Amino acid sequence: MRKAWIAAAMVMVAWAALAEDVVVPVETSTTEKAQITLKLFPFLTPEETQLLRIMATNEQALAVLVPEGGGFGAIAMAPKEGFVRDGAPVPSAIAVAQFPDAESASADALAKCEAAKKRGPDCVVVLEVAPL
């Protein structure tokens, strides 16, 4: 039993080291009110990527994340749980908005995602919104 725990710990350490070395492609778009950065992590499904791209390029879709009043926003999700499953948002996928800076928005989204996720590696921020 103890060997299983040690092996699992080694896998988690290796996963964390690998995740730090992975270069994640980024797409940046600008709307009339905001600059949006989308991080294309390899765990995103084609459906999730398409939905996030729509949010990143469409004012009305983005308004779901960042309502009037602007501020900084972020979406965080758990890699093993994703963003959308069976056509519905996953509870651990967290969108936050109206923060005074990007760091606060990301930290809040990550903390809420970690609290809501059921399993797997640490949550990551997949989309960031900065007001213009």
Side-chain angles (χ1 to χ4, degrees), residues 66-83:
V66 183
E68 286 300 315
F72 289 83
I75 296 177
M77 67 182 66
K80 291 283 185 187
E81 296 178 18
F83 185 52

Side-chain angles (χ1 to χ4, degrees), residues 5-113:
W5 282 101
I6 292 171
M10 291 175 63
V11 168
M12 292 301 286
V13 169
W15 174 263
L18 178 62
E20 289 178 11
D21 292 337
V22 173
V23 176
V24 178
V26 173
E27 293 179 1
T28 303
S29 58
T30 304
T31 66
E32 193 173 301
K33 299 178 183 178
Q35 178 174 326
I36 301 93
T37 302
L38 173 59
K39 299 175 184 178
L40 299 170
F41 286 93
F43 67 80
L44 292 170
T45 66
E47 177 186 23
E48 292 168 335
T49 300
Q50 181 181 14
L51 181 58
L52 289 166
R53 281 182 173 143
I54 289 169
M55 292 182 78
T57 58
N58 181 292
E59 282 283 344
Q60 292 176 334
L62 186 62
V64 172
L65 172 63
V66 183
E68 286 300 315
F72 289 83
I75 296 177
M77 67 182 66
K80 291 283 185 187
E81 296 178 18
F83 185 52
V84 176
R85 293 296 184 265
D86 300 320
V90 174
S92 61
I94 303 293
V96 299
Q98 298 182 332
F99 281 83
D101 56 65
E103 293 79 18
S104 298
S106 292
D108 189 65
L110 288 169
K112 289 177 178 174
C113 177

